[in-house]
Amino acid sequence: MKLWRLHPSDTQLEDTQIFQDICDALSDGKLVAIPTETVYGLAADATNGKACASIYEAKGRPSFNPLISHIDSLEAAQTHAFFDDRALKLAEAFWPGPLTLVLPKRPTSPVSDLAVAGLETIALRVPRSDVMRALCKHTGRPLAAPSANLSGRISGTTAEDVINDLKDHLSYLIDSGATSVGVESTIVSLVGKRPTLLRPGGLAREDIEAVLGETLVRAGTDDSAPMAPGMLTSHYAPNSHIRLNAEDVAEGEALITFGANLPKGSDKAAKLVPLSDSEDLTEAAARLFTALRQADLGENGKIAVMPIPHHGLGEAINDRLARAAAPRD
Ligand code: AMP
Ligand code: MG
């Protein structure tokens, strides 16, 4: 891991060699810890599924929460999501700043399925941090960045916190001292009928309500409010019935494969959808949501999934598959 210490008086960051090197590392799918005004972010190219998988791997997250994509401007944000009048008002009032907007994702957005956990919505934020915005702009990519800490630990607000938790996973750490806001961004969803507070954070609810001219519903408290963050991972599920740890395949089933040793009956499968032929769990995680969608045969369809090992990212993959296979009402 290489360390870049920034000082408040530093300007023209883009002209330095290390800035260029960090852009190259991000474009190459590497992980970089970047300070924002809220907390330090563990950043990777949001359009690269494998890079996003390595975020979950580094954090040791046992499930795939969708990630916030950071961009450098409202204009860039509009290429990824549909903005209605409320979204425009909030973005104009509070960006750059500690507000994340959850919006309908444009089908043309290149943000990976894993970054949005297979959802048709996307969480976007233009941060106040100059270096984060400059990196988004110069790489030309949205950067997915959850807090730079191990899963279950508190969010890192200093470079020392980040080093303690993640140093072996990072190619660069940008140190600009303690973050100014110190708590995560406020997350507002504009996907349902009523604007909904998904997570309180660095921007006060009252400030948001003043601009919107209406109150924010708390997640999950109202039929018109989208689900709370913890419930999100159970949101997307294929229509087909799912059978896990399949040791054989029945005629007409779609088979999600892992590794090259296919089970009995594979030749009769309706389709084969590989997660990773080389048994690489990072690749499998990156492909998971796309694979579920591709394997889906509709209402009376059946999907069989080969066993996935439980170690490393396998835990999160199996968690997601178990949710997808759980009986629904
Ligand atoms: P963080 O842990 O700071 O990366 O914040 C991630 C949180 O943002 C998730 O747990 C969700 O609450 C929210 N979020 C991110 N992406 C989406 C999305 N596509 N749809 C709805 N909520 C999202
Ligand atoms: Mg966090």
Side-chain angles (χ1 to χ4, degrees), residues 38 68 95 97-102 124-125 181 183-189 196-205 208 216:
T38 59
I68 297 170
W95 281 355
L99 174 68
T100 297
L101 294 176
V102 174
L124 291 167
R125 178 163 96 90
V181 176
V183 294
E184 289 86 351
S185 61
T186 302
I187 306 180
V188 171
S189 168
T196 303
L197 183 64
L198 289 186
R199 176 176 76 189
L203 178 67
R205 157 203 277 273
I208 300 169
L216 291 174

Side-chain angles (χ1 to χ4, degrees), residues 142-321:
L143 297 177
S147 54
N149 53 273
L150 290 174
S151 176
R153 306 265 293 259
I154 55 166
S155 302
T157 55
T158 65
E160 289 69 43
D161 294 341
V162 179
I163 289 172
N164 287 336
D165 274 15
L166 294 168
K167 69 169 180 314
D168 295 339
H169 297 276
L170 298 171
S171 51
Y172 291 89
L173 163 60
I174 305 175
D175 176 4
S176 65
T179 60
S180 59
V181 176
V183 294
E184 289 86 351
S185 61
T186 302
I187 306 180
V188 171
S189 168
L190 295 173
V191 172
K193 278 198 208 92
R194 303 272 312 274
T196 303
L197 183 64
L198 289 186
R199 176 176 76 189
L203 178 67
R205 157 203 277 273
E206 292 79 359
D207 295 342
I208 300 169
E209 291 176 341
V211 168
L212 278 179
E214 62 182 311
T215 53
L216 291 174
V217 190
R218 209 36 216 266
T221 54
D222 183 302
D223 281 352
S224 57
M227 284 180 275
M231 294 154 69
L232 267 169
T233 41
S234 61
H235 188 90
Y236 171 73
N239 289 312
S240 302
H241 174 267
I242 300 185
R243 190 164 66 84
L244 302 179
N245 301 313
E247 308 279 358
D248 52 24
V249 189
E251 180 145 13
E253 276 184 324
L255 178 67
I256 296 185
T257 70
F258 183 79
N261 292 324
L262 301 188
K264 262 200 323 279
S266 301
D267 50 323
K268 296 194 216 94
K271 49 179 138 171
L272 298 177
V273 183
L275 282 182
S276 170
D277 290 340
S278 60
E279 304 192 13
D280 173 346
L281 287 166
T282 312
E283 181 181 43
R287 299 217 57 235
L288 179 64
F289 291 99
T290 314
L292 282 170
R293 212 187 306 275
Q294 285 171 352
D296 201 359
L297 298 169
E299 211 60 52
N300 295 313
K302 291 197 167 74
I303 301 175
V305 187
M306 285 176 64
I308 314 287
H310 275 280
H311 60 263
L313 279 176
E315 190 184 356
I317 296 172
N318 281 308
D319 167 81
R320 187 62 191 72
L321 286 170

Side-chain angles (χ1 to χ4, degrees), residues 45-207:
D45 175 2
T47 68
N48 178 337
K50 263 188 116 168
C52 293
S54 64
I55 291 180
Y56 295 99
E57 193 167 37
K59 284 183 70 100
R61 269 197 183 178
S63 63
F64 296 123
N65 270 343
L67 303 170
I68 297 170
S69 292
H70 296 77
I71 57 282
D72 71 291
S73 64
L74 171 56
E75 201 187 351
Q78 284 176 296
T79 66
H80 297 287
F82 295 105
F83 279 66
D84 62 11
D85 289 347
R86 302 172 305 183
L88 283 175
K89 259 198 223 166
L90 290 181
E92 276 158 9
F94 298 115
W95 281 355
L99 174 68
T100 297
L101 294 176
V102 174
L103 299 167
K105 185 184 180 211
R106 279 187 193 272
T108 49
S109 165
V111 167
S112 64
D113 264 346
L114 185 60
V116 298
L119 297 165
E120 284 172 5
T121 53
I122 184 167
L124 291 167
R125 178 163 96 90
V126 179
R128 207 179 289 147
S129 154
D130 289 338
V131 68
M132 177 68 119
R133 282 207 318 281
L135 287 167
C136 295
K137 183 166 179 197
H138 283 259
T139 56
R141 296 158 204 259
L143 297 177
S147 54
N149 53 273
L150 290 174
S151 176
R153 306 265 293 259
I154 55 166
S155 302
T157 55
T158 65
E160 289 69 43
D161 294 341
V162 179
I163 289 172
N164 287 336
D165 274 15
L166 294 168
K167 69 169 180 314
D168 295 339
H169 297 276
L170 298 171
S171 51
Y172 291 89
L173 163 60
I174 305 175
D175 176 4
S176 65
T179 60
S180 59
V181 176
V183 294
E184 289 86 351
S185 61
T186 302
I187 306 180
V188 171
S189 168
L190 295 173
V191 172
K193 278 198 208 92
R194 303 272 312 274
T196 303
L197 183 64
L198 289 186
R199 176 176 76 189
L203 178 67
R205 157 203 277 273
E206 292 79 359
D207 295 342

